[in-house]
Amino acid sequence: MAKVYATGKRKTAIAKVWVSAPGKGTITVNGVDFEAWLGGHETIKKRVRQPLALTKQEASFDIVASTQGGGYSAQADAVRHGISKALAAMDADFRAILKPYGLLTRDSRIVERKKYGRKKARRSPQFSKR
């Protein structure tokens, strides 16, 4: 039985992902079933399952993930990144499939810091002519 660990990141969210084979295709996040964790967000669920769908391994692996930081969308993308990295570590053929879709690349976009004299990072206070 093979068990591979990978870390996925997105914004300020971090996901620790363990992919074990062989499995039944169950995904558990923070001790909760994947369907219950994301509720009715079908597009986000599809995004998380994308690496498994591309490699045609939906029912081959059991996935256990632990997330922290960020919101549910960033956490879901961090889990996707972690799954992709774990699959690539398991089999070099999976890396060739996942790389063109950009699933192995960490999305480095983070929130820009707020500057003094500004309302937000770039938003200026309203200008008054009189």
Side-chain angles (χ1 to χ4, degrees):
M1 184 166 151
K3 196 168 191 179
V4 177
Y5 169 80
T7 306
K9 293 182 180 181
R10 170 77 169 97
K11 291 188 179 180
T12 58
I14 300 168
K16 300 171 186 174
V17 180
W18 290 269
V19 177
S20 54
K24 295 177 178 66
T26 59
I27 302 174
T28 308
V29 181
N30 295 339
V32 182
D33 180 52
F34 178 66
E35 298 294 326
W37 180 64
L38 273 177
H41 301 283
E42 294 302 323
T43 53
I44 299 175
K45 286 181 193 174
K46 198 171 186 178
R47 228 171 40 212
V48 171
R49 289 194 192 103
Q50 187 182 11
L52 297 168
L54 288 172
T55 55
K56 297 177 179 64
Q57 303 296 320
E58 289 99 334
S60 302
F61 299 116
D62 284 341
I63 297 166
V64 177
S66 169
T67 60
Q68 61 187 35
Y72 63 87
S73 181
Q75 286 184 354
D77 282 345
V79 170
R80 176 175 83 157
H81 186 226
I83 291 170
S84 301
K85 284 172 66 174
L87 289 174
M90 278 187 156
D91 191 353
D93 296 337
F94 292 159
R95 182 176 178 80
I97 296 168
L98 297 170
K99 188 107 171 102
Y101 290 91
L103 296 176
L104 299 173
T105 307
R106 192 247 201 254
D107 190 350
S108 61
R109 295 175 295 170
I110 57 169
V111 178
E112 188 176 341
R113 79 171 195 87
K114 185 197 175 297
K115 279 77 169 190
Y116 62 89
R118 301 274 175 166
K119 298 261 186 204
K120 292 166 58 177
R122 298 185 180 200
R123 169 84 168 99
S124 301
Q126 188 170 5
F127 176 73
S128 174
K129 200 166 192 175
R130 288 172 193 85

